[in-house]
Amino acid sequence: MASRKRSGSGSKRPKEKVVHFYEMMCRGEDLKRQGERQFWEEFFLLQPNMDVLESEMIKLNSEQYLVAKGNILQLFGECINMLSSNSPKRIHNALQTICVYIHVLTRKQSLTMISSATAAETNGIGPGAATTFISVCDVDEELRLLLSRLNETILCDDVADSPKDLCLKILLIIATGMDNVNENQLIEFIIGQNFFEAFKKVLSDSSLRASHGHDIVTLLTVLVNYRKHESSNPYIVELSLLADELALNGYGQVISCVLTMFCKQHLLNLTELPSSSSWFSSLSNIVGNMFISEELCYRSQQIRANNALLLALYEAIHLNRNFITTLAHTQADSTPPSPCNTLNSNEGTPDLSSAAIIDASHYSTNLFVALFQYCSIVMQDHKSELSAINLKLCLLILTCIAEDQYANSMMHDTNLTFKVSLHRAHMRHRKIASEKMSKPQPLATTLLDLLVEFVVSHLLKKFPIELYLLCIGIIHRIIVYQKRCRVRLAYQWKELWTAMISLLKFLIYQEQNLIKRCNFFELALQVVNILNLFITYGDTFLATTNSYDELYYELNREEKVFCELHALVLRYASLQDCEYKEDVIRLLNALSNILAIIKHFQFKIKEWLASQSLSTPTEQQILEQIQKNYDLTLKLQDSLDHYERYSERPKHVFFFANLVKEVMTDTRKSVYYLVKQSNKNNALECNTIISRSVSSGGLSSSTMPLSTESATLAEHN
């Protein structure tokens, strides 16, 4: 007698009931096999299959859509109705279904806009509009009701089984649905519903902020950039007027946490590198450079991932004067729980004897410190365009900070000192040092160290002049503050002067290459004006009288640089068709005092050398001659302490438009991916529960009716 084939061996896995339902819906079949209310209550106990639902709705053509439209609208309406249910399982499943619905809606909108644009470019010749799908007008009332329910859920105090996370993910899917934020019609529904109070509540609560703070800050950043320069945006108004200290601190702590973790990870990576300086290590480095592109790509993507929260920091500093006060606040809860807390209790105690010892002083203590340390890491990447974009954003943030009176007063406060680890790029002309650990010092000192490091480490053939203009502009603003407020910062100014002169030397030697691409005279003028500030007003902010001697010593030591710069400027000033004639003339006038100082002291020093029959004087001898011969008259130059106040428009509008587009794309992909992964994990858990029930002999999943299976899943979930 032939034995019966074991059930399931070699056969296909039975189709999920929820998948069968999706197929029926898209074929336009009647969904109400039982009483309508009972059917939907049981349906939302089934775990959604987001991949199948998305696929079924995406592939609908125009004819199929017209047949299925009623069912699709009904499903969306029932999802929203289910949000008022008392069942956490039903609410969770309804929210996941809404995620798919909104994702498909925005994707169809994007395809329609692309097709319409293509048809317009080809005068109507071509494929025409994309496949039709639900329009915003079809679900206007449903969307308003949905956002009202989401707002209520986020405001709800009930933490247990709270679907706040999914609610915020839906808002992010809505807000980032289109690459161009200004073309996203769905954002109008978020604008119309005041979520700002809900966001404030989450940011003010440390436990809620730990779970949802990142989503809130990212969402606020996108909303603030919606039609930013075209019309009144209530989220811009709300953020600019926000004075709640708890909410502002929470906002800052979310950003500080991300930057701090990035810095910690970088530090851990450094501890893993071999410290050997042998020939074998050098050979390893040469071989390693052959494969460095993959590592750089990964690091660039890590840096790009921080764009959203750096943009959030920029918007807060740019819009809200009250936010400046949070920059120096100690971040008590900025560091998330250690991964060590997740160790299995059944495992033995790990051996920590060989673990790397990391100084706690490396870790950031406030947003100022986190930002400075983060910038020092990003500055090391010279080759990646993504890093250049991120670094420009950092420098714009620092520009806004350097223009703020209160921020400057905090940074120059000698009672407010911090120990900051600034990372330094490896360069051939200096000893290898991965970082510069400062002693506790005012934040302005650390910021100047950071900017000097940028100046000396980016003198590249592919010269980033825009970044240099921003960097030198920040230095100028700091010195202007010191001059106006008569603040005497204890700083090694010689490092700054040396960096400035090195930059001028680079501009002179790269003249032929640079003149074809940019106006380097503008940058040279900024540098010379900073030196003129020291010459003219140094007595108001230099800490010691010896600083003047050191400045004049450096100017005379680098006499050749200034003479060559003067000759270069004279040559371009004599040209009739010089494109940058105005800046050339201004630079020529700005050099007058420096040249007068050099001429005066060179004559005095040569005269003294001749009288002493010396050819190679020491530094101390030259300084003594400078101290004895200050009898010279200089011109009083105007407007040395004036600068153009930072304005986003019109210079940086294009940069921020592209940056917001990148943030939208990255956030949309990551958020929807996280929701789908959560959905798959839940489905796997449900299948495991059913399999255990079947193996125990209590249930048969292939014959279980819809209501019985639903009740079983609900019982286990």
Side-chain angles (χ1 to χ4, degrees):
M1 188 174 95
S3 61
R4 194 173 75 174
K5 189 176 181 180
R6 181 176 295 178
S7 174
S9 61
S11 62
K12 274 189 174 183
R13 183 182 174 186
K15 188 181 292 184
E16 296 174 66
K17 289 182 173 62
V18 73
V19 171
H20 179 62
F21 168 82
Y22 296 152
E23 292 173 348
M24 288 175 55
M25 176 187 74
C26 292
R27 288 196 299 264
E29 297 180 18
D30 184 18
L31 304 177
K32 302 180 287 296
R33 297 177 299 172
Q34 312 167 34
E36 184 172 1
R37 194 70 258 147
Q38 181 186 356
F39 171 78
W40 288 113
E41 287 182 357
E42 293 182 353
F43 169 76
F44 282 108
L45 287 173
L46 295 174
Q47 179 66 37
N49 189 320
M50 294 179 66
D51 285 328
V52 173
L53 179 57
E54 179 184 352
S55 174
E56 290 292 327
M57 290 199 290
I58 284 287
K59 69 184 182 184
L60 289 174
N61 59 33
S62 300
E63 292 77 16
Q64 292 169 333
Y65 162 73
L66 291 175
V67 173
K69 180 178 179 179
N71 282 347
I72 294 173
L73 288 172
Q74 184 181 14
L75 174 62
F76 186 54
E78 292 298 337
C79 286
I80 297 170
N81 292 335
M82 197 54 62
L83 298 183
S84 58
S85 166
N86 293 324
S87 167
K89 177 65 177 174
R90 291 187 176 96
I91 294 173
H92 187 272
N93 291 342
L95 288 171
Q96 286 192 334
T97 306
I98 290 170
C99 286
V100 180
Y101 190 94
I102 300 296
H103 175 75
V104 174
L105 175 59
T106 54
R107 188 170 165 186
K108 291 279 190 179
Q109 277 187 315
S110 298
L111 292 172
T112 302
M113 294 186 70
I114 293 171
S115 298
S116 300
T118 305
E121 290 174 3
T122 57
N123 295 321
I125 302 171
T131 304
T132 310
F133 192 65
I134 304 293
S135 69
V136 175
C137 297
D138 292 329
V139 288
D140 184 283
E141 290 301 321
E142 287 84 352
L143 283 171
R144 294 183 193 282
L145 179 58
L146 169 63
L147 291 173
S148 176
R149 295 274 171 83
L150 296 181
N151 196 12
E152 291 170 5
T153 304
I154 297 171
L155 281 168
C156 180
D157 292 324
D158 184 17
V159 179
D161 296 323
S162 174
K164 283 185 173 64
D165 184 62
L166 268 177
C167 292
L168 290 169
K169 293 292 190 290
I170 291 174
L171 290 175
L172 281 169
I173 292 171
I174 292 174
T176 61
M178 311 284 283
D179 286 346
N180 187 338
V181 64
N182 294 332
E183 294 175 353
N184 190 348
Q185 301 175 38
L186 295 180
I187 290 187
E188 288 290 349
F189 292 92
I190 303 179
I191 296 291
Q193 181 77 38
N194 185 10
F195 280 90
F196 200 81
E197 288 301 318
F199 295 165
K200 269 175 55 179
K201 181 175 180 179
V202 173
L203 291 174
S204 301
D205 186 293
S206 59
S207 60
L208 291 176
R209 183 171 62 244
S211 303
H212 313 298
H214 193 289
D215 288 346
I216 293 284
V217 172
T218 304
L219 189 53
L220 263 176
T221 305
V222 173
L223 294 175
V224 162
N225 280 278
Y226 177 68
R227 301 194 183 280
K228 191 175 187 179
H229 304 295
E230 299 174 20
S231 60
S232 176
N233 183 332
Y235 285 92
I236 293 179
V237 177
E238 293 275 14
L239 183 59
S240 63
L241 297 178
L242 181 62
D244 186 324
E245 189 175 352
L246 285 175
L248 288 171
N249 282 334
Y251 190 104
Q253 286 181 3
V254 171
I255 299 167
S256 179
C257 174
V258 172
L259 298 184
T260 301
M261 289 307 297
F262 180 89
C263 296
K264 285 184 180 181
Q265 186 58 52
H266 178 79
L267 191 62
L268 289 172
N269 292 342
L270 289 179
T271 60
E272 294 171 3
L273 295 175
S275 58
S276 172
S277 57
S278 64
W279 66 268
F280 183 76
S281 176
S282 302
L283 179 62
S284 301
N285 288 335
I286 294 171
V287 176
N289 286 335
M290 299 176 186
F291 307 97
I292 202 150
S293 58
E294 184 178 343
E295 180 185 343
L296 283 176
C297 181
Y298 173 70
R299 180 173 169 181
S300 296
Q301 291 301 325
Q302 282 186 311
I303 291 172
R304 173 170 170 161
N306 297 322
N307 280 347
L309 290 193
L310 279 175
L311 183 58
L313 177 59
Y314 165 81
E315 296 295 354
I317 292 174
H318 188 223
L319 294 173
N320 192 308
R321 289 292 307 278
N322 299 317
F323 185 75
I324 294 292
T325 63
T326 71
L327 292 175
H329 281 191
T330 301
Q331 310 293 343
D333 64 341
S334 63
T335 306
S338 166
C340 297
N341 295 338
T342 62
L343 289 173
N344 192 325
S345 59
N346 296 324
E347 295 178 1
T349 305
D351 180 17
L352 301 178
S353 59
S354 59
I357 298 174
I358 300 175
D359 188 351
S361 62
H362 286 84
Y363 293 163
S364 308
T365 53
N366 63 36
L367 192 46
F368 261 134
V369 175
L371 178 62
F372 293 167
Q373 191 171 351
Y374 175 83
C375 289
S376 72
I377 295 171
V378 176
M379 281 179 185
Q380 296 181 61
D381 191 350
H382 300 160
K383 300 177 182 179
S384 167
E385 185 65 27
L386 294 177
S387 296
I389 292 169
N390 192 269
L391 180 53
K392 179 179 177 180
L393 180 55
C394 290
L395 291 173
L396 289 174
I397 292 169
L398 293 176
T399 300
C400 294
I401 290 173
E403 284 188 3
D404 188 88
Q405 184 83 1
Y406 186 76
N408 265 308
S409 67
M410 285 195 296
M411 289 195 296
H412 287 85
D413 188 348
T414 55
N415 295 315
L416 197 64
T417 60
F418 296 91
K419 192 175 181 181
V420 187
S421 173
L422 293 182
H423 300 265
R424 307 176 74 196
H426 290 191
M427 300 173 69
R428 293 176 184 174
H429 65 270
R430 68 183 181 188
K431 293 180 180 179
I432 294 177
S434 61
E435 61 191 48
K436 181 176 181 179
M437 175 59 74
S438 67
K439 59 182 182 298
Q441 59 187 12
L443 290 164
T445 303
T446 303
L447 178 55
L448 286 170
D449 285 339
L450 177 70
L451 297 171
V452 167
E453 174 63 21
F454 174 84
V455 171
V456 299
S457 63
H458 285 72
L459 301 173
L460 311 169
K461 189 172 182 180
K462 191 177 178 181
F463 188 64
I465 188 166
E466 185 180 19
L467 299 182
Y468 266 95
L469 287 168
L470 289 171
C471 176
I472 300 300
I474 297 165
I475 295 173
H476 185 224
R477 285 162 172 78
I478 294 170
I479 296 172
V480 167
Y481 169 81
Q482 293 174 8
K483 179 257 177 184
R484 290 176 179 174
C485 298
R486 296 181 175 271
V487 176
R488 300 185 185 275
L489 184 69
Y491 185 68
Q492 295 296 323
W493 293 110
K494 184 178 178 179
E495 292 185 12
L496 175 63
W497 300 329
T498 304
M500 298 285 100
I501 296 170
S502 297
L503 175 55
L504 289 176
K505 189 186 300 184
F506 176 85
L507 296 178
I508 294 166
Y509 294 157
Q510 293 294 321
E511 169 219 343
Q512 293 300 323
N513 179 39
L514 294 173
I515 196 67
K516 301 171 187 175
R517 301 190 293 111
C518 61
N519 178 12
F520 69 88
F521 296 105
E522 180 185 5
L523 178 59
L525 178 61
Q526 279 195 10
V527 173
V528 171
N529 279 342
I530 288 175
L531 294 174
N532 279 326
L533 260 173
F534 282 99
I535 293 169
T536 310
Y537 300 108
D539 59 316
T540 63
F541 61 86
L542 289 175
T544 64
T545 54
N546 292 337
S547 298
Y548 254 126
D549 305 335
E550 293 174 358
L551 171 60
Y552 282 27
Y553 175 85
E554 289 301 318
L555 294 178
N556 280 276
R557 189 172 68 86
E558 298 291 356
E559 168 208 4
K560 183 181 177 183
V561 174
F562 293 101
C563 291
E564 288 180 349
L565 179 61
H566 184 238
L568 173 69
V569 172
L570 283 176
R571 178 157 47 87
Y572 279 94
S574 64
L575 298 177
Q576 296 298 322
D577 57 345
C578 179
E579 185 180 353
Y580 312 116
K581 194 68 170 280
E582 184 179 344
D583 285 324
V584 169
I585 298 300
R586 291 170 63 197
L587 179 55
L588 184 62
N589 293 330
L591 280 169
S592 60
N593 277 348
I594 294 176
L595 294 173
I597 290 169
I598 291 173
K599 183 179 179 181
H600 172 78
F601 284 105
Q602 285 295 314
F603 175 76
K604 295 292 184 181
I605 291 169
K606 287 176 182 177
E607 188 178 54
W608 178 79
L609 288 174
S611 67
Q612 299 294 317
S613 301
L614 289 174
S615 58
T616 54
T618 64
E619 179 179 339
Q620 188 58 40
Q621 288 173 327
I622 297 295
L623 284 171
E624 287 175 2
Q625 292 307 306
I626 288 173
Q627 291 167 357
K628 294 176 182 178
N629 292 283
Y630 272 112
D631 52 334
L632 77 161
T633 304
L634 301 175
K635 294 180 181 178
L636 183 61
Q637 296 182 332
D638 297 328
S639 305
L640 290 178
D641 60 347
H642 291 180
Y643 53 82
E644 183 182 353
R645 296 283 299 180
Y646 171 76
S647 175
E648 187 177 312
R649 299 180 69 182
K651 193 180 292 185
H652 303 292
V653 170
F654 183 71
F655 168 76
F656 279 105
N658 286 334
L659 185 64
V660 171
K661 189 177 292 187
E662 286 183 4
V663 169
M664 298 277 283
T665 304
D666 295 345
T667 304
R668 179 172 64 246
K669 289 178 181 177
S670 62
V671 166
Y672 194 61
Y673 172 80
L674 288 172
V675 174
K676 288 176 75 172
Q677 282 300 114
S678 173
N679 173 259
K680 289 175 182 177
N681 292 339
N682 290 338
L684 185 62
E685 185 180 339
C686 289
N687 290 336
T688 302
I689 292 170
I690 292 174
S691 299
R692 286 173 181 171
S693 300
V694 171
S695 63
S696 65
L699 295 170
S700 173
S701 62
S702 60
T703 59
M704 196 189 318
L706 174 63
S707 57
T708 309
E709 181 178 343
S710 303
T712 304
L713 293 178
E715 180 182 347
H716 286 288
N717 287 283

